[in-house]
Every structure is written in C-alpha cells, then in structure tokens.
Amino acid sequence: MKIRGKRFIVIGLAKSGVAVARTLARRGGRVTVYDQKAEEQLGKALAELAEFDVKKVLGEELTIKPGEYDLAVVSPGVSMDAEVVRRVIKAGTPVIGEIELAYRLKNDAVEIVAITGTNGKTTTTALVAEILDKSGVNTAACGNIGVPLISVIDEIEQGVVSVEVSSFQLETIREFHPRVAAVLNITPDHLDRHGTMEQYVEAKAKILSNQGPDDFSVLNYEDAWVRRLKTEAKSQVIFFSTARRLPRGVYVEDGKIKARLYDDEVVICPRENVALRGEHNLENVLCAVGIAIALGVKPDTIADTLRSFKGVRHRLEEVRRVNGVLYVNDSKGTNPESTIKALQAFQEPVILIAGGRNKGADFTVLSRVIKDKVRHLVLVGEASLLIREKVLEQGFQHIDVAKSFEEAVYRAKELARPGDVVLLSPACASWDMFNSFEERGDLFCQLVNSLEEERV
C-alpha cells in the first residue's frame, strides 16, 4: 500500500488514532487529524504527534470536499453513524479502521491470529501470545488489549501476532484476513451502538469474512450465537467446549484438557494444572489451546504455558491482601456477563464495587447473582441508581451508593471482614468518570496499595 504523498484524515485521537497518525506521517503521508475535543483536552495525544508535520482540526465541525483526501481512518470509538463519518462518506472518501490499515501495511511474513467475543478477549489474546513465545515464535499481544496493532507491525518482520479485536474495529475491515480467527462468546453488549443483538453478532461475524479453506476458525460450541457462525465460515472450524466431548475440537474429559483435530486424541494437561483462576477462564484456555493446535504448537509447550500463565492486568488481578481481605481488580468487567463470571470465581464472601456508564445492558440477571454471591454492594457512577433498582427488586438490601470512586473503595474497606474479597468488577464502561477501564483499575490499585495494615 502506497503511503508517501497520499492524503489521509485520521478521525479520533484516542490511542489507536494517534498510532495511525504517527505511522502514516513516518511513512511520508500527508496527515490531517480530527477530533471533536478542543486542543486543551488533547494534551497527551498532541504531545505524541509533536515531532510530526500533522495538520490538526480540533474542537469544530469538519468540512470536507470531494477528492480532498485519499483515505479516512476512523478510530473504533467513533461510530460509523457519527455525523463526521457521514460527511466523509458523502465526500466519496474511503473509510477504514486502524486494524485494516495495519493489515495492509504489515509484512507478508507476519500472520494474524484475531480473537473476538464479548468477554475473555484480553486474557485469551495474552495467553496465545505467551504460548507462541514459549514455542519460539516471534510474536506480540496487541489490538484492543491496549497496544494498537499498527504500533507493532514495524517491529515484527516475521512471526504471528495475537490481536484482540472488538466489534467496533470489525465494522471497518475490508481485507483484514486472520490466519486463525476465534470467537469466544457473544452476549448482549454495546447495544447502545449496534442497536440489536443481530447487528452485534453481524459485526462480530466479520472476523470470518475474508478467510479461506487454508485458514482456521475457533468457535465456542456452547454459545448458540457463536455455534451458528459455522455456517458462515469458509475456513476449517475447530470447536471448543467446556461441557462435552467433541468429535473434533478441544474439550475437557475425565479432568483432562484434550484436543482432537484429525484422527488422534491428544491430552494437553490435567485441568487442575491450569494456573488461571475461575470457571470462566476455562473457556479462554480451551480457545487458546485450539488456536495453538491450529498453528502447530506442540502439546508440551501449551501445557507448560497453562501451568505458568496467571492472567493479565485488570482481569481478576489480585492486587493485595490487607487485614485478611483480598482486593481484586476486575476493571475490565465492563458488562453484566463479565461481572457474573468474576463473581462466580470466588467462594469467599464478596464486597462488590460496581457501576459506571451503562452500554444498554439489562442488569436483571446480574442482580440475581448479586443476591446469591455478594455480601454488600457498593455502587458508583451514572448507572448506580439503575443497578440499585434492579437489585432491590430481588430483595437485596445491603447497598451503598458512593459519590466518588475513592469513597466507594474506602466504604468497601470499612465493610470488609477478614476472609472477604473486595472485588472491583463494574459491569459498566468507565467513560463517565475515567478515560479508560485501565485508568479506573490503576486508581483502584493505587488506593488499595495506600491502605494501612491494622496493628493487633
């Protein structure tokens, strides 16, 4: 793909937008960046672009003429229905996203593993990269995991890149072609953007759209939405299941993780050897095993990694034990289903900190689980009253509503007893109070690490 001398407009200056602008400018593109935020709100992003000759249109409406740009690259946080994108399309400018651009620019010797789903993407993406690294493959974990794909394509000349991709990112792909595509699960999420479950599933299914018979798709047999995607797959399908033995795929039987792709069944390792905590992580592990087997990784290497891999930041991250109370950061739990899985990972009494910006979710099922699993609920953020209402409907009364995130953490500390778990798993997005779930989780860790041990 030719970059030098071409005219590009990058819409949205979040992490991926900045990475795109830097890459295009570095390769000689004539780059304009647009964001609806004013310059004073974009200090960090603009600092990262300071060394490049980039035109900036900030804090105002974008006017665009036909033929003014050769290509628009839109950040995943900007909806394709946004007025600015409508104007770009009306002007006849092609629109793609960051992962599509990265795919077009990467070395042909680099293969892509793409992982999507409502929950578990980050853990699975990191686990796959860890397995590949231990097998001697040049690799990186990137994408929606926090490092844009386009930031690593110049660093890896040959190898396999493990990429977390969201439904927002998949909306704008055209040629993006993963060697292995995986779909972990699909439960209601982002319906404020996609509108219906059918449209959400359609966005997720695009991960399979450019694959062929030499490629692999790894799909969750126990998720009805995902299982149906087999009819759309033009690749070789590998199912995984946490509940049954499969004639072809990855599954658990007699307490052992097993895989059968062709004729022979292979035992990977005993399930009890897996270091990742939580029943929900078994789904992520089986998916990662399916991906690794498809790529030809030896079973012993997979088993060694499963024994040592303990997870990623902001996903059931054990921060610290204070006065006999375990504090756990699950800030990446941004929807009810994710928080339900986090709660199910603990047998201990839980003080749950939840709330934030609702993404169109229904909290009814989560409320039932809270009634069964939570000793006290501390709510914070925009969705506090909605969640409180749903939980009260279940007859659960042990609820506090905090005015600030700091107050929520300190209140949870006051409520906790030795043997309890204080769990931050918000079931909501962070955007009402923070720029990202990482920022929310970092503050939680900071506050927990500042707590003092009580002297006996």
Side-chain angles (χ1 to χ4, degrees):
M1 177 181 174
K2 182 180 177 182
I3 300 296
R4 185 166 299 278
K6 294 288 187 180
R7 300 159 302 169
F8 300 90
I9 181 163
V10 179
I11 301 173
L13 279 181
K15 190 175 293 185
S16 67
V18 171
V20 165
R22 287 174 61 89
T23 298
L24 292 174
R26 190 183 298 119
R27 295 185 178 216
R30 295 161 58 189
V31 181
T32 297
V33 295
Y34 169 81
D35 198 292
Q36 64 181 1
K37 293 180 181 177
E39 184 170 348
E40 55 269 21
Q41 298 175 281
L42 296 164
K44 183 178 179 182
L46 296 179
E48 293 185 49
L49 297 175
E51 63 184 287
F52 300 101
D53 182 17
V54 172
K55 180 182 177 182
K56 305 172 187 67
V57 181
L58 307 172
E60 60 184 78
E61 289 188 355
L62 178 70
T63 58
I64 180 171
K65 301 174 184 177
E68 188 173 354
Y69 299 103
D70 297 298
L71 184 68
V73 185
V74 62
S75 294
V78 180
S79 170
M80 292 297 286
D81 291 328
E83 178 60 29
V84 62
V85 179
R86 290 177 185 270
R87 291 184 182 187
V88 171
I89 293 172
K90 187 176 180 180
T93 307
V95 177
I96 62 171
E98 175 258 326
I99 63 169
E100 175 67 19
L101 178 66
Y103 179 80
R104 295 183 188 186
L105 295 180
K106 75 172 182 64
N107 193 309
D108 289 342
V110 175
E111 292 186 328
I112 299 288
V113 170
I115 298 158
T116 196
T118 305
N119 298 302
K121 300 185 293 297
T122 298
T123 298
T124 307
T125 300
L127 176 54
V128 168
E130 188 78 4
I131 292 170
L132 292 172
D133 183 65
K134 287 203 173 187
S135 71
V137 173
N138 196 20
T139 188
C142 57
N144 206 46
I145 197 171
V147 179
L149 173 59
I150 203 160
S151 296
V152 304
I153 57 170
D154 289 332
E155 301 173 8
I156 297 182
E157 296 183 358
Q158 183 175 0
V160 182
V161 180
S162 181
V163 188
E164 174 184 336
V165 293
S166 69
S167 58
F168 294 176
Q169 291 170 307
L170 289 167
E171 283 181 319
T172 51
I173 67 168
R174 301 291 181 271
E175 301 170 14
F176 181 74
H177 178 174
R179 175 81 171 86
V180 183
V183 186
L184 284 157
N185 45 60
I186 303 178
T187 57
D189 197 18
H190 299 300
L191 300 187
D192 53 339
R193 174 151 163 177
H194 294 295
T196 66
M197 270 299 289
E198 287 73 19
Q199 289 172 316
Y200 179 45
V201 173
E202 184 180 342
K204 290 289 190 188
K206 291 191 72 174
I207 197 172
L208 310 174
S209 58
N210 295 316
Q211 288 192 298
D214 294 331
D215 302 316
F216 292 90
S217 53
V218 181
L219 306 177
N220 186 350
Y221 189 86
E222 300 308 322
D223 186 300
W225 288 107
V226 177
R227 187 167 63 245
R228 293 179 199 137
L229 296 183
K230 181 181 182 181
T231 61
E232 300 186 28
K234 299 182 285 291
S235 54
Q236 301 176 56
V237 174
I238 300 172
F239 279 119
F240 65 91
S241 172
T242 58
R244 72 194 72 210
R245 187 178 192 275
L246 299 171
R248 184 173 191 266
V250 182
Y251 47 91
V252 179
E253 185 181 48
D254 299 327
K256 298 181 177 67
I257 295 174
K258 300 180 179 181
R260 181 195 293 273
L261 259 63
Y262 303 105
D263 293 331
D264 296 330
E265 181 181 75
V266 177
V267 176
I268 304 300
C269 69
R271 178 181 172 182
E272 64 185 17
N273 286 6
V274 176
L276 275 172
R277 178 172 184 161
E279 184 70 20
H280 67 289
N281 271 321
L282 181 61
E283 191 174 85
N284 304 331
V285 165
L286 298 184
C287 181
V289 170
I291 292 168
I293 292 290
L295 292 171
V297 179
K298 294 180 180 179
D300 287 350
T301 301
I302 300 172
D304 287 344
T305 311
L306 296 183
R307 279 191 286 267
S308 61
F309 183 82
K310 294 184 178 180
V312 296
R313 288 222 59 212
H314 309 295
R315 170 56 78 203
L316 286 180
E317 175 190 5
E318 297 188 5
V319 181
R320 187 185 173 204
R321 196 177 290 273
V322 185
N323 301 319
V325 176
L326 177 62
Y327 289 79
V328 178
N329 169 25
D330 193 55
S331 184
K332 203 173 190 305
T334 61
N335 57 66
E337 183 66 25
S338 182
T339 297
I340 288 169
K341 291 182 176 181
L343 287 169
Q344 291 171 341
F346 298 98
Q347 298 303 314
E348 304 92 330
V350 173
I351 310 297
L352 175 65
I353 302 173
R357 177 161 295 173
N358 185 16
K359 297 182 288 181
D362 183 344
F363 296 101
T364 303
V365 177
L366 173 60
S367 297
R368 295 179 190 137
V369 177
I370 287 172
K371 182 181 179 181
D372 291 338
K373 300 286 291 185
V374 172
R375 188 165 70 76
H376 205 103
L377 174 64
V378 181
L379 294 170
V380 66
E382 288 180 2
S384 294
L385 297 183
L386 174 60
I387 299 174
R388 181 177 181 273
E389 177 185 336
K390 291 293 183 180
V391 174
L392 285 172
E393 288 176 1
Q394 302 300 321
F396 186 88
Q397 302 284 337
H398 306 294
I399 307 167
D400 277 29
V401 177
K403 294 179 180 178
S404 69
F405 189 80
E406 290 85 350
E407 181 184 325
V409 175
Y410 294 137
R411 180 58 180 149
K413 186 250 184 189
E414 292 172 357
L415 291 163
R417 306 165 184 164
D420 286 356
V421 172
V422 171
L423 172 65
L424 169 67
S425 190
C428 295
S430 59
W431 307 319
D432 59 335
M433 303 174 73
F434 301 93
N435 292 318
S436 65
F437 71 82
E438 293 99 337
E439 185 179 296
R440 176 172 62 190
D442 287 342
L443 179 57
F444 177 76
C445 293
Q446 178 185 329
L447 294 169
V448 169
N449 285 321
S450 72
L451 299 177
E452 293 185 2
E453 290 273 4
E454 295 177 2
R455 295 182 180 181
V456 180

